[in-house]
Amino acid sequence: MKAVYFAWVRERVGATDEDIAPPAEVRTVGDLIGWLVSRGENYAYAFENAKAIRAAIDRKHVKHDALIAGAKEIAFFPPMTGG
Amino acid sequence: MKAVYFAWVRERVGATDEDIAPPAEVRTVGDLIGWLVSRGENYAYAFENAKAIRAAIDRKHVKHDALIAGAKEIAFFPPMTGG
Amino acid sequence: MAVRVQSEPFDAAAEARALTAGRADVGAVVTFVGLCRDEGGTLAALELEHYPGMAEEEISRVVAEAQARWPLMGATAIHRYGKIAPGEDIVLVVTASAHRAAAFAAAEFLMDYLKTRAPFWKKEHRKDGTSGDWVAAKDADDAAADRWKA
Amino acid sequence: MAVRVQSEPFDAAAEARALTAGRADVGAVVTFVGLCRDEGGTLAALELEHYPGMAEEEISRVVAEAQARWPLMGATAIHRYGKIAPGEDIVLVVTASAHRAAAFAAAEFLMDYLKTRAPFWKKEHRKDGTSGDWVAAKDADDAAADRWKA
């Protein structure tokens, strides 16, 4: 699956997107955040306040307890400031 | 003083405006309506539902208990339907 | 603030632009245009009668009240009179503010108050040749205006 | 309904006209334009980042929700991205309905939901050369969106 990052999450991770292959025990968005954080300091920095991070699966907003099975694209970003 | 009429009040009275000289005991807008009604059937028809008639003294909305002393122009009209 | 009572059409876009021209502190502009509906194809035209002089003064009072209530950077109200065909504009309100909540609230307030306080009356001319029922004031409009009372 | 995400400026007046062209059953058109403020002269530009694809889809979902809630005869939402200078337009919402209450409510709803659900993020470029704090989301915007929940 593909992970995509926006705004300061993107800046902190240091990438706009990447292919990821989390292990099977990573079932939810929250699990995925935990797994990413374990991969390096840049992720730890991006997700240091994990509750503040919003997520979308295949371009739809989801909560952190959403299951990631079957997802093609998972996006992480700060609260939106458009409008 | 001048009385002016609008919309169906104007149509029923049969005049856009007229000079009036009510006697001294006609003190309020409500008194004036009563005095006008006494002057003819056209006024009686225009003011048959007196409560529904709005009034303005010198271009400001007033209630029927407003005093007419000093007024130059008193207007009578139905509830507004602009906008 | 600009208030006009006129028979000619107005240019809503130009009025909105005028409120932001030459400044960069406006964050929100709300434009309301009220149009003449054809009432299911039965209406030939509306004829709007007004109280010259009082119409401008009353709308100005309403706009001043909106400016006292909300931090507006500009407000424009234009109301037409005379014969207006279905599809044509009748009334325009534009409000500008730093933030959207004030611009929206002020525009709604202005329309609710124009409906119930501006001295205009609509007469209907029907396509079947009959004319003219006077449009009756709506309780809903009074209720809409009442909600702004403290 | 028309939804667009674009870097180019939009023509608010043309979008509003498009909703009433060729019909005479619309009684109310509300146009909201959100502009870039200069923040007391300190801001050089805003840079709007967005999530391509999702931005259009999410705005379309929000517009569909507005259409389900209110009897709209038309609704348009356009959101710009990229670098935007103070005084320039950022976002446009236009709603058309037979009556003003629906047009006003739907336009406010659309803006409240765009603020909190459309995937856009603003970065500030300051005139002193420093860049860029990311604009923080406001609790007030969440509260504004929450008021539409049943």
Side-chain angles (χ1 to χ4, degrees):
Chain A
M1 65 185 58
K2 190 172 154 191
V4 298
Y5 310 107
F6 293 99
W8 54 256
V9 174
R10 169 180 56 70
E11 289 179 339
R12 292 181 180 190
V13 168
T16 58
D17 62 278
E18 62 183 324
D19 288 315
I20 54 172
E25 65 264 27
V26 172
R27 299 179 66 238
T28 67
V29 167
D31 294 344
L32 183 57
I33 290 174
W35 179 74
L36 286 167
V37 163
S38 73
R39 294 176 71 206
E41 275 184 20
N42 54 331
Y43 297 101
Y45 182 35
F47 294 100
E48 66 181 359
N49 182 10
K51 279 188 184 169
I53 304 296
R54 307 294 179 92
I57 292 181
D58 295 336
R59 300 178 174 178
K60 282 188 181 169
H61 291 296
V62 293
K63 301 200 167 166
H64 287 201
D65 61 2
L67 298 174
I68 64 171
K72 289 177 188 161
E73 184 171 293
I74 302 187
F76 294 103
F77 41 78
M80 284 70 75
T81 55
Chain B
M1 64 184 60
K2 190 172 153 192
V4 298
Y5 309 107
F6 293 100
W8 53 256
V9 175
R10 169 180 56 70
E11 289 179 339
R12 292 181 179 189
V13 169
T16 58
D17 61 279
E18 62 183 324
D19 289 314
I20 54 171
E25 65 266 26
V26 172
R27 299 182 63 240
T28 67
V29 168
D31 294 345
L32 183 58
I33 291 174
W35 179 75
L36 286 167
V37 164
S38 74
R39 294 176 69 207
E41 275 183 22
N42 54 333
Y43 296 100
Y45 181 37
F47 294 99
E48 67 182 356
N49 182 8
K51 279 188 185 170
I53 303 297
R54 307 296 178 92
I57 293 182
D58 294 335
R59 301 177 175 179
K60 282 189 180 168
H61 291 296
V62 294
K63 301 200 166 166
H64 287 200
D65 60 3
L67 298 175
I68 63 172
K72 290 178 189 160
E73 184 171 292
I74 301 187
F76 294 102
F77 41 78
M80 284 71 74
T81 55
Chain C
M1 102 183 171
V3 169
R4 291 205 295 284
V5 173
Q6 61 188 43
S7 61
E8 316 84 62
F10 49 74
D11 181 343
E15 300 297 339
R17 269 197 306 276
L19 293 192
T20 57
R23 61 193 299 174
D25 55 352
V26 173
V29 176
V30 171
T31 304
F32 176 88
V33 175
L35 301 96
C36 176
R37 291 189 309 272
D38 67 357
E39 306 297 351
T42 62
L43 190 83
L46 279 181
E47 190 162 353
L48 271 105
E49 180 170 336
H50 76 299
Y51 186 170
M54 180 173 170
E56 293 85 344
E57 290 174 21
E58 189 64 22
I59 296 175
S60 297
R61 283 190 282 267
V62 170
V63 173
E65 200 167 323
Q67 288 178 312
R69 282 180 177 231
W70 291 280
L72 301 181
M73 292 162 164
T76 298
I78 301 177
H79 204 305
R80 293 179 65 195
Y81 61 84
K83 220 161 191 175
I84 293 179
E88 279 188 57
D89 298 339
I90 297 174
V91 62
L92 171 72
V93 158
V94 192
T95 56
S97 185
H99 300 285
R100 75 187 185 287
F104 269 122
E108 277 203 85
F109 169 90
L110 285 172
M111 281 309 306
D112 287 344
Y113 270 53
L114 286 188
K115 282 259 170 192
T116 54
R117 279 176 38 181
F120 290 83
W121 301 272
K122 291 182 182 129
K123 188 173 197 166
E124 298 180 335
H125 294 273
R126 303 243 153 227
K127 277 197 176 156
D128 64 10
T130 61
S131 96
D133 281 348
W134 290 94
V135 173
K138 286 184 204 140
D139 290 341
D141 287 328
D142 287 330
D146 282 346
R147 73 195 156 123
W148 300 103
K149 286 177 184 159
Chain D
M1 101 182 171
V3 169
R4 292 204 295 282
V5 173
Q6 62 189 42
S7 61
E8 316 81 65
F10 49 75
D11 182 343
E15 300 298 337
R17 272 197 305 274
L19 293 192
T20 56
R23 61 192 301 172
D25 55 351
V26 173
V29 176
V30 171
T31 303
F32 176 88
V33 175
L35 301 96
C36 177
R37 292 188 308 271
D38 67 358
E39 305 298 350
T42 62
L43 191 83
L46 279 181
E47 191 162 353
L48 271 105
E49 180 171 335
H50 77 298
Y51 186 171
M54 181 172 167
E56 293 84 343
E57 289 174 21
E58 189 64 24
I59 295 174
S60 297
R61 284 190 281 268
V62 170
V63 173
E65 201 168 320
Q67 289 178 311
R69 282 181 177 231
W70 291 280
L72 301 181
M73 291 162 165
T76 298
I78 301 177
H79 204 304
R80 294 179 65 196
Y81 61 84
K83 219 160 191 175
I84 293 178
E88 279 188 56
D89 297 340
I90 298 174
V91 61
L92 171 72
V93 158
V94 192
T95 56
S97 185
H99 301 285
R100 75 187 185 287
F104 269 122
E108 276 203 86
F109 169 90
L110 285 171
M111 281 310 305
D112 288 344
Y113 270 53
L114 286 188
K115 281 259 171 193
T116 53
R117 280 175 39 179
F120 289 83
W121 301 272
K122 289 182 184 131
K123 189 173 197 166
E124 298 181 335
H125 294 274
R126 302 242 154 229
K127 278 197 177 157
D128 62 13
T130 61
S131 98
D133 282 347
W134 289 94
V135 173
K138 286 185 205 140
D139 289 343
D141 286 329
D142 286 330
D146 281 346
R147 74 196 156 123
W148 301 102
K149 285 176 184 159

